[in-house]
Amino acid sequence: MQKTSIEIKGSNFTLLVLYLKSNNIDLINKSLYKKVQEYPQFFKNAPIILNVSHLSLNQTSWGRIQEVIISHSLFIVGVTGCSDDYMKKIIINSGLPILLEGEKIKNITNNINQNISFFYKKYNCENKNDKTTKKTIKKIEKTHIINTPVRSGQKIYAKYSDLIVTNNVSAGAELVADGNIHIYGSVRGRVLAGANGDITSNIFCTALFAELLSISGEYWLSDQIPLKFIGKSAQIYLSNKVLTINSLS
């Protein structure tokens, strides 16, 4: 049997979302320059999703916005928040996909599942897809444990579980978990808990030097972490959808 030349699978990637809140091109340019200069290595060639829900776009403004963002070595991989059908076509024609946000995807998925269920009930068939779906979304209660150092460039993803690291995490490394993340060592990389949208997730660490902290999409870069917690034991969590940090010592 001939082997297939391609394979498509689901995966999990962490992407920054750039929210544009002004149509002023000069202001966007200056703001991006300032942010990128703070962390040039972090943002260099970084893939981003562009949220334009706060903007009133036209063909000219979209082209200029796209040029400004690209000029700062950022790669736009998709656009979200666009409600105008005409602008959606312009964005798609510029070579970028329109991405649906979580709630919209959920609604579409629910409608599809309802239609499938209706079809099988109508014709008294066994819906094999129902069993597959239930099996897929079932939450696995387990903990993923890493005992070795996490080196720069490494990415560890704990799907449907908590993640425990009993060693140091280097700058440039990335920890991602759908649940909580515990780090019993110094952490200098990126830490993203609640990756599947769980707002009750926490991050616990014994020596905080992180480049980025995120819970369920809400994030801080290193300069946003209060100085008194740098190098200390800390707990990071969401309180009323706002990142909050407490000392553990």
Side-chain angles (χ1 to χ4, degrees):
M1 181 181 293
Q2 185 178 4
K3 292 184 178 179
T4 180
S5 60
I6 67 168
E7 186 176 10
I8 298 176
K9 290 185 175 182
S11 187
N12 180 281
F13 293 94
T14 304
L15 296 175
L16 297 175
V17 181
L18 174 60
Y19 290 82
L20 295 182
K21 299 184 178 181
S22 171
N23 281 73
N24 188 314
I25 303 299
D26 290 336
L27 181 59
I28 293 173
N29 187 39
K30 290 177 181 178
S31 299
L32 279 175
Y33 177 80
K34 182 179 179 181
K35 181 57 68 176
V36 170
Q37 289 305 306
E38 289 176 358
Y39 302 95
Q41 293 304 314
F42 179 78
F43 286 110
K44 185 178 181 180
N45 299 327
I48 62 166
I49 294 172
L50 191 62
N51 186 297
V52 296
S53 59
H54 298 281
L55 303 186
S56 177
L57 290 172
N58 56 51
Q59 187 167 2
T60 302
S61 65
W62 167 247
R64 295 182 65 195
I65 287 171
Q66 196 175 9
E67 289 174 2
V68 166
I69 293 172
I70 293 172
S71 72
H72 291 282
S73 298
L74 297 171
F75 285 95
I76 307 172
V77 298
V79 180
T80 187
C82 182
S83 58
D84 184 89
D85 290 337
Y86 173 71
M87 279 311 304
K88 285 181 181 179
K89 290 180 181 179
I90 290 176
I91 291 169
I92 291 171
N93 288 337
S94 72
L96 294 170
I98 298 292
L99 304 178
L100 294 177
E101 297 182 82
E103 192 61 33
K104 293 180 180 178
I105 294 174
K106 182 180 177 181
N107 291 337
I108 291 172
T109 303
N110 287 340
N111 289 336
I112 292 172
N113 289 337
Q114 287 172 7
N115 290 335
I116 291 173
S117 297
F118 174 79
F119 173 86
Y120 280 101
K121 287 179 182 178
K122 181 177 180 180
Y123 294 100
N124 295 317
C125 298
E126 180 185 3
N127 186 354
K128 295 180 180 179
N129 190 57
D130 280 347
K131 294 181 179 179
T132 304
T133 302
K134 290 177 182 178
K135 184 177 180 180
T136 302
I137 65 174
K138 182 179 179 181
K139 187 171 182 179
I140 302 170
E141 299 293 344
K142 64 177 183 179
T143 300
H144 192 58
I145 301 176
I146 301 295
N147 294 314
T148 56
V150 184
R151 307 296 185 187
S152 179
Q154 279 187 279
K155 176 179 177 178
I156 296 172
Y157 173 41
K159 188 174 184 179
Y160 301 141
S161 69
D162 291 346
L163 175 62
I164 296 177
V165 179
T166 62
N167 217 306
N168 297 327
V169 180
S170 299
E174 188 170 272
L175 305 180
V176 184
D178 287 340
N180 303 303
I181 298 180
H182 304 253
I183 306 149
Y184 300 106
S186 64
V187 53
R188 300 180 184 275
R190 298 182 289 274
V191 186
L192 303 97
N196 65 347
D198 184 357
I199 62 173
T200 66
S201 297
N202 285 243
I203 297 170
F204 304 90
C205 58
T206 56
L208 178 61
F209 300 96
E211 299 168 355
L212 179 145
L213 297 171
S214 173
I215 295 179
S216 187
E218 299 296 325
Y219 71 92
W220 282 339
L221 295 175
S222 59
D223 65 334
Q224 295 172 288
I225 302 171
L227 286 175
K228 67 178 182 179
F229 294 102
I230 300 298
K232 304 295 179 59
S233 298
Q235 173 191 11
I236 300 92
Y237 59 95
L238 286 179
S239 178
N240 296 321
K241 299 183 179 181
V242 176
L243 275 180
T244 306
I245 186 168
N246 284 335
S247 175
L248 290 177
S249 56

Coordinates of all heavy atoms in Angstrom, one line a residue, residues 165-242:
V165 N 6.9 20.8 36.8 CA 8.4 20.8 36.4 C 9.2 20.9 37.7 O 9.0 21.9 38.4 CB 8.7 22.0 35.5 CG1 10.2 21.9 35.1 CG2 7.9 21.9 34.2
T166 N 10.0 19.9 37.9 CA 10.8 19.9 39.2 C 12.3 20.4 38.9 O 13.2 20.0 39.7 CB 10.8 18.5 39.8 OG1 11.5 17.6 38.9 CG2 9.4 18.0 40.1
N167 N 12.4 21.2 37.9 CA 13.8 21.7 37.6 C 13.7 23.1 37.0 O 12.6 23.7 37.0 CB 14.4 20.7 36.6 CG 15.9 20.6 36.8 OD1 16.7 21.5 36.9 ND2 16.4 19.3 36.9
N168 N 14.8 23.6 36.5 CA 14.8 25.0 36.0 C 14.2 25.0 34.6 O 14.4 24.1 33.8 CB 16.2 25.6 36.0 CG 16.7 25.7 37.4 OD1 16.0 25.9 38.4 ND2 18.0 25.5 37.6
V169 N 13.7 26.2 34.2 CA 13.2 26.5 32.9 C 14.0 27.6 32.3 O 13.9 28.7 32.8 CB 11.7 26.8 32.9 CG1 11.1 27.1 31.5 CG2 10.9 25.7 33.6
S170 N 14.7 27.4 31.2 CA 15.6 28.4 30.6 C 14.8 29.4 29.8 O 13.7 29.2 29.4 CB 16.6 27.7 29.7 OG 17.4 26.8 30.4
A171 N 15.4 30.6 29.6 CA 14.9 31.6 28.7 C 14.7 31.0 27.3 O 15.6 30.3 26.8 CB 15.8 32.8 28.7
G172 N 13.6 31.3 26.7 CA 13.3 30.8 25.4 C 12.6 29.5 25.4 O 12.1 29.0 24.3
A173 N 12.4 28.9 26.5 CA 11.6 27.7 26.6 C 10.1 28.1 26.9 O 9.8 29.2 27.2 CB 12.1 26.8 27.8
E174 N 9.2 27.1 26.6 CA 7.8 27.4 26.7 C 7.1 26.2 27.4 O 7.2 25.1 27.0 CB 7.2 27.6 25.4 CG 5.8 28.1 25.4 CD 5.3 28.6 24.0 OE1 5.5 29.8 23.7 OE2 4.7 27.8 23.3
L175 N 6.3 26.5 28.5 CA 5.5 25.6 29.2 C 4.0 25.9 28.9 O 3.6 27.1 29.1 CB 5.7 25.6 30.7 CG 7.2 25.4 31.1 CD1 7.2 25.4 32.7 CD2 7.7 24.1 30.6
V176 N 3.2 25.0 28.4 CA 1.8 25.2 28.1 C 1.0 24.0 28.8 O 1.4 22.9 28.6 CB 1.6 25.2 26.6 CG1 0.1 25.5 26.3 CG2 2.4 26.2 25.9
A177 N -0.1 24.3 29.4 CA -0.9 23.3 30.0 C -2.4 23.7 30.0 O -2.7 24.9 30.1 CB -0.5 23.0 31.4
D178 N -3.3 22.8 29.8 CA -4.7 23.1 29.9 C -5.1 23.3 31.3 O -6.2 23.9 31.5 CB -5.5 21.9 29.2 CG -5.4 21.9 27.7 OD1 -5.0 23.0 27.1 OD2 -5.7 20.9 27.1
G179 N -4.3 22.8 32.2 CA -4.6 23.0 33.7 C -3.6 23.9 34.3 O -3.2 24.9 33.8
N180 N -3.3 23.6 35.6 CA -2.3 24.3 36.4 C -0.9 24.0 35.9 O -0.6 22.9 35.4 CB -2.5 24.0 37.9 CG -3.9 24.3 38.3 OD1 -4.4 25.4 38.2 ND2 -4.5 23.3 38.9
I181 N 0.0 24.9 36.3 CA 1.5 24.7 36.0 C 2.2 25.0 37.3 O 2.1 26.0 37.9 CB 2.0 25.6 34.9 CG1 1.3 25.2 33.6 CG2 3.5 25.4 34.8 CD1 1.8 26.1 32.4
H182 N 3.0 24.0 37.8 CA 3.9 24.1 39.0 C 5.3 24.0 38.5 O 5.7 23.1 37.8 CB 3.6 23.0 40.0 CG 2.1 22.9 40.4 ND1 1.7 23.3 41.6 CD2 1.0 22.4 39.7 CE1 0.4 23.0 41.7 NE2 0.0 22.5 40.5
I183 N 6.1 25.0 39.0 CA 7.6 24.9 38.6 C 8.4 25.0 39.9 O 8.4 26.1 40.6 CB 7.9 26.1 37.7 CG1 7.0 26.1 36.5 CG2 9.4 26.0 37.3 CD1 6.8 27.5 35.9
Y184 N 9.1 23.9 40.2 CA 9.9 23.9 41.4 C 11.3 24.1 41.0 O 12.2 23.2 41.0 CB 9.7 22.5 42.2 CG 8.3 22.3 42.6 CD1 7.4 21.4 41.9 CD2 7.7 23.1 43.6 CE1 6.1 21.2 42.3 CE2 6.4 22.9 44.0 CZ 5.6 22.0 43.4 OH 4.3 21.8 43.7
G185 N 11.6 25.3 40.6 CA 12.9 25.7 40.2 C 12.8 27.2 39.6 O 11.7 27.8 39.8
S186 N 13.8 27.7 39.1 CA 13.7 29.1 38.5 C 13.1 29.0 37.1 O 13.4 28.0 36.3 CB 15.1 29.7 38.4 OG 15.9 29.0 37.6
V187 N 12.3 29.9 36.8 CA 11.6 29.9 35.4 C 12.0 31.3 34.7 O 11.7 32.3 35.2 CB 10.1 29.7 35.5 CG1 9.4 30.7 36.5 CG2 9.4 29.8 34.2
R188 N 12.6 31.1 33.5 CA 12.9 32.3 32.8 C 12.3 32.3 31.4 O 12.5 33.2 30.6 CB 14.5 32.4 32.6 CG 15.2 32.4 33.9 CD 16.7 32.5 33.7 NE 17.4 32.5 35.1 CZ 17.6 33.6 35.8 NH1 17.2 34.7 35.3 NH2 18.2 33.5 37.0
G189 N 11.5 31.3 31.1 CA 10.8 31.2 29.8 C 9.4 31.7 29.8 O 9.1 32.5 30.7
R190 N 8.6 31.1 29.0 CA 7.2 31.5 28.9 C 6.3 30.4 29.5 O 6.5 29.2 29.3 CB 6.8 31.7 27.4 CG 7.6 32.8 26.8 CD 7.1 33.1 25.3 NE 7.6 32.0 24.4 CZ 8.7 31.9 23.8 NH1 9.7 32.8 24.1 NH2 9.0 30.9 23.0
V191 N 5.3 30.9 30.3 CA 4.5 29.9 31.0 C 3.0 30.3 30.7 O 2.6 31.4 31.0 CB 4.7 30.0 32.5 CG1 4.0 28.9 33.3 CG2 6.2 29.9 32.8
L192 N 2.3 29.3 30.2 CA 0.9 29.5 29.8 C 0.0 28.4 30.3 O 0.0 27.3 29.8 CB 0.8 29.6 28.2 CG 1.7 30.7 27.6 CD1 3.0 30.0 27.1 CD2 1.0 31.3 26.4
A193 N -0.8 28.8 31.3 CA -1.7 27.8 31.9 C -3.1 28.1 31.4 O -3.4 29.2 30.9 CB -1.7 27.9 33.4
G194 N -4.0 27.1 31.6 CA -5.4 27.3 31.1 C -5.5 27.5 29.6 O -6.3 28.3 29.1
A195 N -4.7 26.8 28.9 CA -4.6 27.0 27.4 C -5.9 26.7 26.7 O -6.1 27.2 25.6 CB -3.4 26.2 26.8
N196 N -6.7 25.8 27.3 CA -8.0 25.5 26.6 C -9.1 26.4 27.1 O -10.3 26.1 26.9 CB -8.3 24.0 26.9 CG -8.6 23.8 28.4 OD1 -8.3 24.6 29.2 ND2 -9.1 22.6 28.7
G197 N -8.8 27.5 27.8 CA -9.8 28.5 28.3 C -10.2 28.3 29.7 O -11.2 29.0 30.1
D198 N -9.6 27.5 30.5 CA -9.9 27.3 31.9 C -9.5 28.4 32.7 O -8.3 28.6 33.0 CB -9.3 25.9 32.4 CG -9.8 25.6 33.8 OD1 -10.5 26.4 34.4 OD2 -9.4 24.6 34.3
I199 N -10.4 29.3 33.1 CA -10.0 30.5 33.9 C -9.7 30.2 35.3 O -9.2 31.1 36.1 CB -11.1 31.6 33.8 CG1 -12.4 31.1 34.4 CG2 -11.3 32.0 32.3 CD1 -13.5 32.1 34.5
T200 N -9.9 29.0 35.8 CA -9.6 28.6 37.2 C -8.1 28.1 37.3 O -7.7 27.8 38.4 CB -10.5 27.6 37.7 OG1 -10.3 26.3 37.0 CG2 -12.0 28.0 37.5
S201 N -7.4 28.0 36.2 CA -6.0 27.5 36.3 C -5.1 28.5 37.0 O -5.3 29.7 37.0 CB -5.5 27.3 34.9 OG -6.3 26.3 34.2
N202 N -4.0 28.0 37.6 CA -3.0 28.8 38.3 C -1.6 28.4 37.8 O -1.4 27.4 37.3 CB -3.1 28.4 39.8 CG -4.3 29.1 40.5 OD1 -4.2 29.9 41.4 ND2 -5.5 28.6 40.2
I203 N -0.7 29.4 38.1 CA 0.7 29.1 37.9 C 1.4 29.3 39.3 O 1.2 30.2 40.0 CB 1.3 30.1 36.9 CG1 0.7 30.0 35.5 CG2 2.8 29.9 36.8 CD1 1.1 31.1 34.6
F204 N 2.2 28.3 39.6 CA 2.9 28.3 40.9 C 4.4 28.1 40.5 O 4.8 27.3 39.8 CB 2.5 27.2 41.8 CG 1.1 27.1 42.1 CD1 0.2 26.4 41.4 CD2 0.6 27.8 43.3 CE1 -1.2 26.3 41.7 CE2 -0.8 27.8 43.6 CZ -1.7 27.0 42.8
C205 N 5.3 29.0 41.1 CA 6.7 28.8 40.8 C 7.5 29.3 42.1 O 7.0 30.0 42.9 CB 7.1 29.6 39.6 SG 6.8 31.4 39.7
T206 N 8.7 28.7 42.2 CA 9.6 29.0 43.3 C 10.6 30.1 43.1 O 11.2 30.7 44.0 CB 10.3 27.8 43.8 OG1 11.1 27.2 42.7 CG2 9.3 26.7 44.3
A207 N 10.9 30.5 41.8 CA 11.8 31.6 41.5 C 11.3 32.2 40.2 O 11.6 31.6 39.1 CB 13.2 31.1 41.4
L208 N 10.7 33.3 40.2 CA 10.0 33.9 39.1 C 10.9 34.9 38.3 O 11.2 35.9 38.9 CB 8.7 34.6 39.5 CG 7.9 35.3 38.5 CD1 7.4 34.3 37.4 CD2 6.7 36.0 39.1
F209 N 11.3 34.5 37.1 CA 12.0 35.4 36.2 C 11.4 35.4 34.8 O 12.1 35.6 33.8 CB 13.5 35.1 36.1 CG 14.2 35.1 37.4 CD1 14.4 33.9 38.1 CD2 14.7 36.3 37.9 CE1 15.1 33.9 39.4 CE2 15.4 36.3 39.1 CZ 15.6 35.1 39.8
A210 N 10.1 35.0 34.7 CA 9.5 34.6 33.4 C 9.5 35.7 32.4 O 9.4 36.9 32.7 CB 8.1 34.1 33.6
E211 N 9.6 35.3 31.1 CA 9.5 36.3 30.0 C 8.0 36.6 29.7 O 7.7 37.7 29.3 CB 10.1 35.6 28.7 CG 11.5 35.3 28.8 CD 11.9 34.4 27.6 OE1 11.1 34.0 26.8 OE2 13.1 34.1 27.5
L212 N 7.2 35.6 30.0 CA 5.7 35.8 29.7 C 5.0 34.9 30.7 O 5.3 33.7 30.8 CB 5.4 35.6 28.3 CG 3.9 35.7 27.9 CD1 3.8 36.2 26.4 CD2 3.2 34.3 27.9
L213 N 3.9 35.4 31.2 CA 3.0 34.6 32.0 C 1.6 34.8 31.4 O 1.2 35.9 31.1 CB 2.9 35.1 33.5 CG 4.2 35.0 34.3 CD1 4.1 35.7 35.6 CD2 4.6 33.5 34.6
S214 N 0.9 33.7 31.3 CA -0.5 33.8 30.7 C -1.4 32.7 31.3 O -1.0 31.6 31.6 CB -0.4 33.5 29.2 OG -1.7 33.5 28.6
I215 N -2.6 33.1 31.6 CA -3.7 32.2 32.0 C -4.9 32.5 31.2 O -5.4 33.6 31.1 CB -4.0 32.4 33.5 CG1 -2.8 32.0 34.4 CG2 -5.3 31.6 33.9 CD1 -3.0 32.2 35.8
S216 N -5.3 31.5 30.4 CA -6.5 31.6 29.6 C -6.5 32.8 28.7 O -7.5 33.5 28.5 CB -7.8 31.6 30.5 OG -9.0 31.5 29.7
G217 N -5.3 33.1 28.1 CA -5.2 34.2 27.1 C -4.9 35.5 27.7 O -4.4 36.4 27.0
E218 N -5.1 35.7 29.0 CA -4.6 37.0 29.6 C -3.1 36.9 30.0 O -2.7 35.9 30.6 CB -5.4 37.2 30.9 CG -6.9 37.4 30.7 CD -7.3 38.6 29.9 OE1 -6.6 39.6 30.0 OE2 -8.2 38.5 29.0
Y219 N -2.3 37.8 29.6 CA -0.9 37.7 29.8 C -0.2 38.9 30.3 O -0.7 40.0 30.1 CB -0.2 37.2 28.5 CG -0.2 38.2 27.4 CD1 1.0 39.0 27.3 CD2 -1.2 38.4 26.5 CE1 1.1 40.0 26.3 CE2 -1.1 39.4 25.5 CZ 0.0 40.2 25.4 OH 0.1 41.1 24.4
W220 N 1.0 38.7 30.9 CA 1.9 39.7 31.3 C 3.2 39.4 30.6 O 3.7 38.2 30.6 CB 2.2 39.7 32.8 CG 1.2 40.4 33.6 CD1 0.2 41.3 33.3 CD2 1.0 40.1 35.0 NE1 -0.5 41.6 34.4 CE2 -0.1 41.0 35.5 CE3 1.6 39.4 36.0 CZ2 -0.5 41.0 36.8 CZ3 1.2 39.4 37.3 CH2 0.1 40.2 37.7
L221 N 3.9 40.4 30.1 CA 5.3 40.3 29.7 C 6.1 40.6 30.9 O 5.6 41.0 32.0 CB 5.6 41.3 28.6 CG 4.9 41.0 27.2 CD1 5.3 42.1 26.2 CD2 5.3 39.6 26.7
S222 N 7.4 40.4 30.8 CA 8.3 40.4 32.1 C 8.2 41.8 32.7 O 8.3 41.9 33.9 CB 9.7 40.1 31.7 OG 10.2 41.0 30.7
D223 N 8.1 42.9 31.9 CA 8.1 44.2 32.5 C 6.8 44.5 33.2 O 6.7 45.6 33.9 CB 8.4 45.3 31.4 CG 7.3 45.4 30.4 OD1 6.6 44.3 30.1 OD2 7.1 46.4 29.8
Q224 N 5.8 43.7 33.0 CA 4.5 43.9 33.7 C 4.4 43.2 35.0 O 3.4 43.4 35.8 CB 3.3 43.5 32.8 CG 3.2 44.3 31.5 CD 2.2 43.8 30.5 OE1 2.4 42.8 29.9 NE2 1.1 44.4 30.4
I225 N 5.3 42.3 35.3 CA 5.3 41.5 36.6 C 5.9 42.5 37.6 O 6.9 43.1 37.5 CB 6.3 40.3 36.5 CG1 5.8 39.4 35.3 CG2 6.3 39.6 37.8 CD1 6.7 38.2 35.1
P226 N 5.1 42.7 38.7 CA 5.6 43.6 39.8 C 7.0 43.2 40.3 O 7.3 42.0 40.5 CB 4.5 43.4 40.9 CG 3.3 42.9 40.2 CD 3.8 42.1 39.0
L227 N 7.9 44.2 40.4 CA 9.3 44.0 40.7 C 9.5 43.2 42.0 O 10.4 42.4 42.1 CB 10.0 45.3 40.8 CG 10.3 46.0 39.5 CD1 10.9 47.4 39.7 CD2 11.2 45.2 38.6
K228 N 8.6 43.4 43.0 CA 8.8 42.7 44.3 C 8.6 41.2 44.2 O 9.0 40.5 45.1 CB 7.8 43.3 45.3 CG 6.4 43.0 45.1 CD 5.5 43.6 46.2 CE 4.1 43.3 46.1 NZ 3.3 43.9 47.2
F229 N 8.1 40.7 43.1 CA 7.9 39.3 42.9 C 9.0 38.6 42.1 O 9.0 37.4 42.0 CB 6.5 39.0 42.3 CG 5.4 39.4 43.2 CD1 4.7 40.5 43.0 CD2 5.0 38.6 44.3 CE1 3.6 40.9 43.7 CE2 3.9 38.9 45.1 CZ 3.2 40.1 44.8
I230 N 9.8 39.4 41.5 CA 10.9 38.9 40.6 C 11.9 38.1 41.5 O 12.4 38.6 42.5 CB 11.7 40.0 39.9 CG1 10.7 40.8 39.0 CG2 12.8 39.4 39.0 CD1 10.0 39.9 37.9
G231 N 12.1 36.8 41.1 CA 13.0 36.0 41.8 C 12.4 35.3 43.0 O 13.1 34.5 43.7
K232 N 11.2 35.6 43.3 CA 10.5 35.0 44.5 C 9.5 33.9 44.2 O 9.2 33.7 43.0 CB 9.7 36.2 45.2 CG 10.6 37.4 45.6 CD 11.6 37.0 46.6 CE 12.5 38.2 46.9 NZ 11.8 39.4 47.5
S233 N 9.0 33.2 45.2 CA 8.0 32.2 45.0 C 6.7 32.9 44.8 O 6.3 33.9 45.6 CB 7.9 31.3 46.2 OG 9.1 30.6 46.4
A234 N 5.9 32.5 43.9 CA 4.6 33.2 43.6 C 3.5 32.3 43.0 O 3.8 31.3 42.5 CB 4.9 34.4 42.6
Q235 N 2.3 32.8 43.2 CA 1.1 32.2 42.6 C 0.5 33.2 41.7 O 0.2 34.3 42.1 CB 0.2 31.7 43.7 CG -1.2 31.2 43.2 CD -2.2 31.1 44.3 OE1 -2.0 31.5 45.4 NE2 -3.3 30.4 43.9
I236 N 0.2 32.8 40.5 CA -0.5 33.7 39.5 C -1.8 33.1 39.1 O -1.9 31.9 38.8 CB 0.4 33.9 38.2 CG1 1.8 34.5 38.6 CG2 -0.3 34.8 37.2 CD1 2.8 33.5 38.9
Y237 N -2.9 33.9 39.1 CA -4.2 33.4 38.8 C -5.0 34.5 38.3 O -4.6 35.7 38.3 CB -4.8 32.8 40.1 CG -4.9 33.7 41.2 CD1 -6.1 34.5 41.5 CD2 -3.9 33.9 42.1 CE1 -6.2 35.3 42.5 CE2 -4.0 34.8 43.2 CZ -5.1 35.5 43.4 OH -5.2 36.4 44.4
L238 N -6.3 34.2 37.8 CA -7.2 35.2 37.4 C -8.2 35.6 38.5 O -8.8 34.7 39.1 CB -7.9 34.7 36.1 CG -7.2 34.7 34.8 CD1 -8.1 34.2 33.7 CD2 -6.7 36.1 34.4
S239 N -8.4 36.9 38.7 CA -9.4 37.3 39.6 C -10.3 38.3 38.8 O -9.8 39.4 38.4 CB -8.8 38.0 40.8 OG -9.8 38.5 41.7
N240 N -11.5 38.0 38.6 CA -12.4 38.8 37.8 C -11.8 39.1 36.4 O -11.8 40.2 35.9 CB -12.8 40.1 38.5 CG -13.5 39.9 39.8 OD1 -14.4 39.1 39.8 ND2 -13.2 40.7 40.8
K241 N -11.2 38.0 35.8 CA -10.6 38.1 34.5 C -9.4 39.0 34.4 O -8.9 39.3 33.3 CB -11.6 38.5 33.4 CG -12.8 37.6 33.3 CD -13.8 38.1 32.2 CE -15.0 37.1 32.1 NZ -15.9 37.5 31.0
V242 N -8.8 39.3 35.6 CA -7.6 40.1 35.6 C -6.4 39.3 36.3 O -6.7 38.6 37.3 CB -7.8 41.4 36.4 CG1 -6.5 42.2 36.6 CG2 -8.9 42.2 35.8

